[in-house]
Amino acid sequence: MYLLIPAAGSGKRMGADRNKLLIDLAGETIFAWTLKAAQASPSIAWIGIMCQPIDRPDFEAIAQGLHLTKPVVFIQGGDTRQASVYNGLQALPPEADRVLIHDGARCLATPELFDRCTAELATCPGLIAAIPVKDTIKQVDANQIVSNTPDRATLWAAQTPQGFEVAALKSCHDRGLTEQWEVTDDAALFERCGLPVKIVMGEETNLKVTTPQDLAIAEFILRQRQP
Ligand code: C5P
């Protein structure tokens, strides 16, 4: 399976002055933990990393230090996650017919989750890892007044990996560009184009490291996993 890792963000919400993926976490960088999981997943055969030019030397050094046995390609990131994934899709080898996309910031995803998504992607055109929500979710209006309480049984929290047929996802991205859709994940583009997105059971611990609190929780989880 081909894997694209969007890693071209910043550290704004983390309060960091550089790409948060370069922050230390339990003895490695966030980026290194994500790469190690991809390397350990037998189903992943190729890794493409979308990053900003300023971060590329650091990312290359980290990848080299991990002695990865899989081909790793660095791809120019974009101004938004959507633009970074778009660039990644263009850089896939022509024989790539399916792809997994996994946020560099979700450094706790296990190799088993990659393998589960890869296996499921043989059966459907699009999928996302997701978990049932625990909280009751409220929809609010512009005045912060609750307008709706959706039935919790129908709500899932989206994670990555997300997997797609490459040709289908490319045309969804093209349409998204033309129609100026702004989305926060690739599945949203797929859905808007009327294509089905299947749910694969994600992992409670597969959090997206976004804030300093997330960093503390991620550190705790990784320390627990270490032998
Ligand atoms: O900011 P956030 O954590 O939601 O971003 C999700 C993922 O998308 C991160 O791994 C980040 O590096 C990546 N990203 C990107 N290009 C951007 C913005 C974010 O690849 N321009």
Side-chain angles (χ1 to χ4, degrees):
M1 178 61 65
Y2 295 82
L3 173 68
L4 288 174
I5 302 179
S10 67
K12 220 190 280 167
R13 279 181 291 172
M14 182 64 76
D17 56 2
R18 56 180 183 163
N19 189 329
K20 67 181 174 190
L21 301 190
L22 292 167
I23 292 175
D24 274 336
L25 170 65
E28 305 265 13
T29 56
I30 294 177
F31 177 66
W33 286 112
T34 303
L35 265 191
K36 277 165 76 154
Q39 166 66 26
S41 159
S43 65
I44 301 298
W46 182 99
I47 302 169
I49 296 158
M50 290 81 88
C51 65
Q52 303 295 351
I54 190 170
D55 296 326
R56 185 167 166 165
D58 289 321
F59 281 165
E60 281 183 342
I62 292 165
Q64 243 167 22
L66 293 176
H67 305 295
L68 306 177
T69 56
K70 304 174 181 185
V72 175
V73 173
F74 288 88
I75 302 154
Q76 166 87 51
D79 288 342
T80 61
R81 183 188 181 282
Q82 200 174 336
S84 294
V85 174
Y86 182 91
N87 291 355
L89 290 172
Q90 312 311 313
L92 284 172
E95 65 275 16
D97 62 344
R98 288 175 192 251
V99 65
L100 289 186
I101 298 163
H102 180 64
D103 285 344
R106 287 193 189 266
C107 58
L108 300 175
T110 65
E112 293 73 31
L113 182 57
F114 287 110
D115 294 339
R116 205 154 62 237
C117 290
T118 299
E120 282 293 327
L121 194 52
T123 70
C124 61
L127 60 77
I128 60 171
I131 53 170
V133 300
K134 289 185 289 194
D135 296 319
T136 295
I137 305 289
K138 303 287 182 184
Q139 203 166 7
V140 298
D141 64 19
N143 300 315
Q144 298 293 90
I145 300 294
V146 173
S147 56
N148 185 30
T149 305
D151 175 9
R152 192 170 59 188
T154 66
L155 295 176
W156 289 65
Q159 303 182 339
T160 66
Q162 304 198 344
F164 306 93
E165 283 176 5
V166 171
L169 186 61
K170 274 184 170 172
S171 50
C172 295
H173 267 268
D174 286 341
R175 191 161 161 208
L177 259 185
T178 310
E179 305 200 17
Q180 298 185 319
W181 291 339
E182 280 180 27
V183 294
T184 50
D185 72 357
D186 297 284
L189 291 171
F190 226 63
E191 294 152 31
R192 283 220 194 177
C193 289
L195 296 168
V197 177
K198 187 173 175 176
I199 294 276
V200 172
M201 185 55 79
E203 296 173 328
E204 283 288 342
T205 51
N206 181 17
L207 57 94
K208 186 165 59 144
V209 180
T210 308
T211 63
Q213 288 93 314
D214 296 331
L215 212 50
I217 297 167
E219 171 120 15
F220 176 78
I221 294 167
L222 286 167
R223 297 264 183 227
Q224 298 268 77
R225 284 183 189 169
Q226 276 165 3

